[in-house]
Amino acid sequence: MARSPPPGELPPAYTAPAPSVAPQILAGGLKAPLWLRAYFQGLLFSLGCGIQRHCGKVLFLGLLALGALALGLRVAIIETDLEQLWVEVGSRVSQELHYTKEKLGDEAAYTSQMLIQTSRQEGENVLTSEALSLHLQAALTASKVQVSLYGKSWDLNKICYKSGVPLIENGMIERMIEKLFPCVILTPLDCFWEGAKLQGGSAYLPGRPDIQWTNLDPEQLLEELVPFASLEGFRELLDKAQVGQAYVGRPCLQPDDLHCPPSAPNHHSRQAPSVAQELSGGCHGFSHKFMHWQEELLLGGMARDSQGQLLRAEALQSTFLLMSPHQLYEHFRGDYQTHDIGWSEEQAATVLQAWQRRFVQEALPENASQQVHAFSSTTLDDILHAFSEVSAARVAGGYLLMVGPALGTLPLPAPSAHHRNPPDTAPSLPQLAYACVTMLRWDCAQSQGAVGLAGVLLVALAVASGLGLCALLGITFNAATTQVLPFLTLGIGVDDIFLLAHAFTEAPPDTILQQERTGECLQRTGTSVALTSITNMAAFCMAALVPIPALRAFSLQAAVVVGCNFAAVMLVFPAVLSLDLQRRHCQRLDVLCCFSSPCSAPVIQILPQELGDRMVPVGIAHLTATVQAFAHCEASSQHVVTILPPQAHLVPPPSDPLGSELFSPGGSTRDLLGQEEETMQKAASKSLPCDHWNLAHFARCCFAPLLLQPHTKAMVLVLFGALLGLSLYGATLVQDGLALTDVVPRGTKEHAFLSTQLRYFSLYEVALVTQGGFDYAHSQRALFDLHQRFSSLKAVLPPPATQAPRTWLHYYCNWLQGIQASFDQDWASGRITRHSYRNGSEDGALAYKLLIQTGDDQEPLDFSQLTTRKLVDKEGLIPPELFYVGLTVWVSSDPLGLAASQANFYPPPPEWLHDKYDSTGENLRIPAAQPLEFAQFPFLLRGLQKTADFVEAIEGARAACAEAGRAGVRAYPSGSPFLFWEQYLGLRRCFLLAVCILLVGTFLVCALLLLNPWTAGLIVLVLAMMTVELFGIMGFLGIKLSAIPVVILVASVGIGVEFTVHVALGFLTTQGSRNLRATRALEHTFAPVTDGAVSTLLGLLMLTGSNFDFIIRYFFVVLTALTLLGLLHGLVLLPVLLSILGPPPEVVQMYKESPEVLSPPAAQGGGLRWGVSPTLPQSFARVTTSMTVALHPPPLPGAYIHPVSDEPTWSPVAIPAAGGSSNLSSRGPCLATA
């Protein structure tokens, strides 16, 4: 086997040149790009040779390293918390959320489980007795749900959220209240007596039936208990809360019900109530003052008359509130019911989750006209968990689907004479499986099936190792990681496998340079692999600028996985190829490499030196040989030239309209000018025309000549200009937003509920949080102003005109005014004096204790203040010195008001129990609460349907907080609209910034590696057009702009490089006019780029199997559109632009024809003889590279002879990637091949 001479030595065929023999220079070349590229490719050549010498060790160590990294998947964390996924990192929302959790903890006060009832016929009224009766059945079914866990039965009454349970000193009354105290259920049924049926508590008193809310009259019960206990304080509590007769004083929805109480207004008349009239203004829980459910919480699709009276509604909603896991744990901690099960907070969470799942799964009653939708937050979490799970079947299917192209597009050697299948024709997608099996039957020793299979498996391992490395680095996984990333990186990574496999098998394994074949392969393809891989990594790193945690994690993971793919392709896969080369040399079977091949075809090996004095037989129609080409640089002129020592006079076939000898590319994405070679002798028989047809032939003979016609160019520019203009219009149609209905799978109960809720009940609970850092006592007026300013926002649901604002400061002041009024009455009547309050009322005694407080630790009491001060002044403000002392009393004495205010004070005020009959005086000392660091005002936002509505509400709320900040009050809004929609305030700005940075980065990377800013500029121009057009297509498809499409749009710049850089590089490194160079670039890149697009689409194809429409719509559709746009821009627009605005070639014709340099070959005896070996000047440095030359015999008599022109009929490119076939014209120009 011949071997190239060692570096630093000249071939034996060369002799020292005479000084007088100097070539005559005609033109120069771009020496810097060639030298730098040659240096980089020299490093790749050395790397490949080292890998081939130690292929077994490299493969073992590479697989070991990748496998070790893949084990990192064991510690992967899948994040499904919406707050952790979608709240911008480092944003003000993130800081505010951190502050809230620091003060209150991670849990919400309660969780909501909901029922929504609508008519099956759109627009039908549901304010009928029949519709509410069905709603009652559905609510009763849901309220009776029970689960058995840890040997206990858990029902709604045990786990529901109960607001403001009072503390009573009387033990019997306290136990009865604990059992009877109702759950918080917001339902339209509370307007009727039937609302009591949803409350499951009961109590027992001797001599009367079980006390339940269906028969409980609190006023009557207190009258019966007065002889047995002092309940004056409890009675006042109920009076303040306006409990009255509770449910038994409300009309019966079904007056014929035997249990309808006599106190019901329609008990005797037996007339059904007017549902619309009863629901007008909303409903109340057992407390009229603190439990008012507004219409908007209960009814959807309402219609009113001209006077504003409710006429009809299209939806009913009931909401069941449950305790948080921490609350449930604290509630039953130390209880006799849980002492034997090792009660923990985790068990409490399990109980709540089990109950919520059962709540949704319970068969709800429906009829022919009405339907009921149930929803639980746990089932939504379950969907998000399922959304984030890896589908092993789809991942395996996607990778197995890729094995077909991996086997089918590898450039297999030609079959023996018994097989007529064209070796350079890639199978179509429907024939992938058949082609895979068929190709495995071709020359058993030369088949490449195992290489393709190993390559795809290596990509799978590289993806796993990349994800494992991400897990070790602490990057959390999410739905985008598990559902999309394996397929996206498969489509990107497998292209490199195709490239190296094709470049490696260009020449027969038994030709010269076998021991350096891997080095030659990396030398020819490494630059292209590095360019696209680096650009892809840069694209995903730029996409990480989007400050959404889920998308930042996805982008970083994609960048890491692309990097692992790059390492595996450049280091491990060449070792696989080297081992396969040894198998092929030993003539062993593909896949079953332990067996020798029984069907190996003979190979004719012709070395260049053997042709020195021999003739090429006429019968050989086509012969190839791999010889040594030498690139030299003259020290005096710094001109780079390439000389082919064995020279041949090659005549292109007459059927080639472009005057170039075509060797079909094998279908790899980045193999720019690698050419398929016929390594076996073929019989000179006429084959079918279809045997020679392939994509490269189509590009040369059909596509390129048509595309590069002047009128076609004009049409292409007009069409793409129209597409760009249409896309700019489509960009104006893109709306911001991402609703839960886009994520939840269609056809599920959750999707039906969310769709209905979005339509009829677009309400969001939010809070206005006030922080620490300012004096609440002296900022009361600013707090009132802040509340008023926030309440005036368009999106805020105002409270009824008859109800005071639901804020802690209003409730606090109203309570103080109430006890002040009681004190004034008791003082005026003499029941309270300066020295005694025992004869006064409970409220009067409380006011007495508060009025004497000074707030001074040295002298805490001053009785002279009883008549000189008020608890609330004329301006409605609390005296600052009394503010925190009174807060302690209010929190302890008005639990219902505190619960209704949802203040969530931090630090919480100390507990203090009022004892009217304390005679020691110790009860006069009231501990002051600590200065507040956290408090909140609750609000409801309504009418938020579109993202623009959310943005408007957010901007208004932020403006109100900013105005309060100027008054010294530190506040911020809190709630889901601010957590998940505030990102849209700066999303487009962030998107434009990331794209601009990436385009600039892509320009720099391409300019650095291509060393041609002109070409890099054209590439970036096309990439920018692709991004704009993809954005416009999203507008026409109705895809909303959120963080996910932004990441894809940003990543599209890197992915688009796959489709553009090959054509640009092929154009840059060929000779001739712009049209000719564009034609040659298309000739060699049409098939590879097309196959690259197909491989990407195959990787994305498995996304269509997802159960989530969101994956199909936002990933598959967008990425498919991106792939098709890349194909059109890379193969249609870019060649046209290059033919018009393309840069000059890197290499131009350098030498005139000189007898001393080139000796035209002479045909003797019908054969082709090698010329005399040329000599080289001593001033030339030498770099060697392998070059394949096609040899054609002289034409037969009467055959067409192609005329020789001044312009070379075939010009190879000036890079080792161009170290493929190189034909020399009769004028024999010397070409740089770097």
Side-chain angles (χ1 to χ4, degrees), residues 382-413:
D382 292 340
I383 288 177
L384 294 178
H385 277 288
F387 189 41
S388 303
E389 290 178 355
V390 180
S391 175
R394 286 195 296 114
V395 172
Y399 280 74
L400 289 176
L401 185 61
M402 191 59 65
V403 171
L407 301 176
T409 59
L410 289 180
L412 303 182

Side-chain angles (χ1 to χ4, degrees), residues 890-1169:
W890 175 61
V891 168
S892 301
S893 305
D894 189 17
L896 290 176
L898 176 65
S901 72
Q902 302 179 34
N904 287 329
F905 292 129
Y906 183 87
E911 290 187 3
W912 178 82
L913 291 179
H914 165 58
D915 185 2
K916 178 180 175 182
Y917 301 99
D918 176 43
S919 59
T920 63
E922 288 297 326
N923 199 240
L924 293 177
R925 299 178 180 271
I926 304 174
Q930 298 182 36
L932 293 176
E933 297 179 13
F934 185 98
Q936 63 183 20
F937 300 148
F939 292 93
L940 284 173
L941 299 184
R942 62 175 178 179
L944 303 183
Q945 296 285 342
K946 301 179 181 179
T947 302
D949 301 330
F950 287 94
V951 171
E952 181 182 358
I954 292 171
E955 290 176 342
R958 291 294 181 184
C961 293
E963 184 69 22
R966 288 187 285 271
V969 175
R970 300 178 57 194
Y972 62 86
S974 176
S976 58
F978 304 97
L979 289 179
F980 306 126
W981 274 272
E982 185 150 340
Q983 58 177 289
Y984 296 104
L985 296 180
L987 183 63
R988 296 199 177 219
R989 177 188 54 80
C990 183
F991 162 57
L992 291 176
L993 176 64
V995 169
C996 292
I997 293 176
L998 182 54
L999 288 174
V1000 173
T1002 302
F1003 174 81
L1004 295 177
V1005 171
C1006 293
L1008 179 64
L1009 294 182
L1010 295 179
L1011 297 168
N1012 192 301
W1014 192 338
T1015 306
L1018 287 177
I1019 291 175
V1020 168
L1021 173 63
V1022 173
L1023 294 177
M1025 291 181 62
M1026 287 175 53
T1027 304
V1028 172
E1029 290 164 6
L1030 182 61
F1031 190 67
I1033 290 174
M1034 287 173 46
F1036 288 116
L1037 295 178
I1039 296 176
K1040 298 178 181 179
L1041 183 67
S1042 63
I1044 292 176
V1046 164
V1047 167
I1048 297 178
L1049 286 166
V1050 174
S1052 67
V1053 178
I1055 298 174
V1057 174
E1058 298 271 351
F1059 302 100
T1060 55
V1061 73
H1062 312 315
V1063 177
L1065 190 57
F1067 179 88
L1068 183 64
T1069 54
T1070 54
Q1071 294 187 65
S1073 64
R1074 285 192 176 101
N1075 276 347
L1076 184 59
R1077 291 160 60 204
T1079 300
R1080 289 170 177 166
L1082 277 175
E1083 178 182 333
H1084 295 285
T1085 58
F1086 188 88
V1089 171
T1090 302
D1091 288 334
V1094 171
S1095 67
T1096 303
L1097 290 175
L1098 283 176
L1100 299 173
L1101 184 62
M1102 296 308 294
L1103 295 179
T1104 59
S1106 174
N1107 295 327
F1108 295 87
D1109 294 334
F1110 171 77
I1111 292 293
I1112 299 174
R1113 184 174 176 81
Y1114 279 80
F1115 284 97
F1116 174 74
V1117 172
V1118 176
L1119 289 173
T1120 299
L1122 169 61
T1123 303
L1124 296 178
L1125 284 176
L1127 201 61
L1128 289 175
H1129 285 74
L1131 297 181
V1132 178
L1133 178 61
L1134 183 58
V1136 171
L1137 292 178
L1138 290 172
S1139 68
I1140 300 174
L1141 304 172
E1146 283 186 339
V1147 181
V1148 296
Q1149 183 169 327
M1150 300 292 298
Y1151 292 89
K1152 290 182 178 179
E1153 184 176 354
S1154 174
E1156 290 82 3
V1157 179
L1158 296 176
S1159 296
Q1164 299 180 2
L1168 185 65
R1169 190 178 298 277

Side-chain angles (χ1 to χ4, degrees), residues 330-601:
E330 292 292 339
H331 182 73
F332 283 100
R333 187 177 63 171
D335 191 270
Y336 73 95
Q337 300 180 64
T338 58
H339 74 280
D340 59 338
I341 60 175
W343 184 240
S344 66
E345 196 165 333
E346 291 75 16
Q347 290 176 323
T350 301
V351 169
L352 289 171
Q353 292 171 1
W355 193 93
Q356 291 178 67
R357 292 189 181 101
R358 185 68 180 274
F359 173 85
V360 175
Q361 296 169 358
E362 195 71 27
L364 298 176
E366 296 184 355
N367 57 31
S369 62
Q370 304 287 320
Q371 56 185 350
V372 181
H373 307 284
F375 179 79
S376 169
S377 57
T378 294
T379 57
L380 180 60
D381 293 338
D382 292 340
I383 288 177
L384 294 178
H385 277 288
F387 189 41
S388 303
E389 290 178 355
V390 180
S391 175
R394 286 195 296 114
V395 172
Y399 280 74
L400 289 176
L401 185 61
M402 191 59 65
V403 171
L407 301 176
T409 59
L410 289 180
L412 303 182
S416 62
H418 300 288
H419 296 82
R420 295 298 182 187
N421 303 63
D424 55 353
T425 303
S428 61
L429 286 178
Q431 297 172 335
L432 287 178
Y434 173 77
C436 175
V437 176
T438 302
M439 290 182 181
L440 288 176
R441 294 177 181 173
W442 296 351
D443 191 339
C444 306
Q446 302 302 324
S447 173
Q448 297 290 302
V451 171
L453 179 62
V456 175
L457 293 178
L458 180 62
V459 171
L461 181 59
V463 172
S465 65
L467 294 177
L469 178 59
C470 293
L472 294 174
L473 294 175
I475 304 176
T476 58
F477 288 26
N478 55 68
T481 304
T482 58
Q483 297 284 330
V484 178
L485 193 58
F487 306 107
L488 179 61
T489 52
L490 167 66
I492 296 175
V494 81
D495 296 345
D496 298 332
I497 297 297
F498 292 164
L499 166 62
L500 265 70
H502 168 71
F504 193 82
T505 56
E506 276 186 343
D510 293 329
T511 57
I512 61 173
L513 290 178
Q514 178 179 358
Q515 56 269 57
E516 297 179 355
R517 175 57 68 190
T518 305
E520 180 189 358
C521 176
L522 287 184
Q523 177 178 288
R524 297 166 60 192
T525 60
T527 302
S528 187
V529 172
L531 179 61
T532 52
S533 297
I534 291 174
T535 307
N536 276 323
M537 286 189 287
F540 285 114
C541 288
M542 288 299 104
L545 291 176
V546 178
I548 306 301
L551 283 309
R552 175 169 290 181
F554 173 80
S555 302
L556 293 177
Q557 288 163 345
V560 171
V561 171
V562 170
C564 289
N565 275 339
F566 178 54
V569 169
M570 295 295 288
L571 299 176
V572 182
F573 190 64
V576 175
L577 293 173
S578 301
L579 289 176
D580 188 69
L581 180 65
Q582 297 180 16
R583 177 195 65 79
R584 294 166 59 196
H585 180 69
C586 296
Q587 298 294 314
R588 294 188 177 275
L589 288 174
D590 187 18
V591 183
L592 303 176
C593 55
C594 296
F595 302 95
S596 298
S597 171
C599 54
S600 299

Side-chain angles (χ1 to χ4, degrees), residues 87-104:
V87 177
E88 296 184 21
V89 178
S91 65
R92 60 184 177 186
V93 175
S94 177
Q95 298 172 3
E96 292 162 358
L97 182 63
H98 176 74
Y99 185 85
T100 301
K101 291 184 176 181
E102 180 184 1
K103 303 305 179 184
L104 298 184

Side-chain angles (χ1 to χ4, degrees), residues 157-189:
N157 194 54
K158 288 183 178 179
I159 65 175
C160 70
Y161 175 75
K162 298 181 179 182
S163 173
V165 180
L167 297 178
I168 305 297
E169 294 183 358
N170 188 297
M172 181 188 71
I173 302 300
E174 183 180 12
R175 286 191 296 272
M176 184 175 65
I177 291 177
E178 182 180 355
K179 293 180 179 180
L180 277 177
F181 205 83
C183 299
V184 178
I185 303 175
L186 288 70
T187 174
L189 298 170

Side-chain angles (χ1 to χ4, degrees), residues 699-719:
R700 183 187 70 243
C701 298
C702 303
F703 183 74
L706 177 63
L707 179 66
L708 299 178
Q709 294 292 332
H711 63 276
T712 307
K713 292 182 185 179
M715 186 180 300
V716 167
L717 294 178
V718 170
L719 290 178

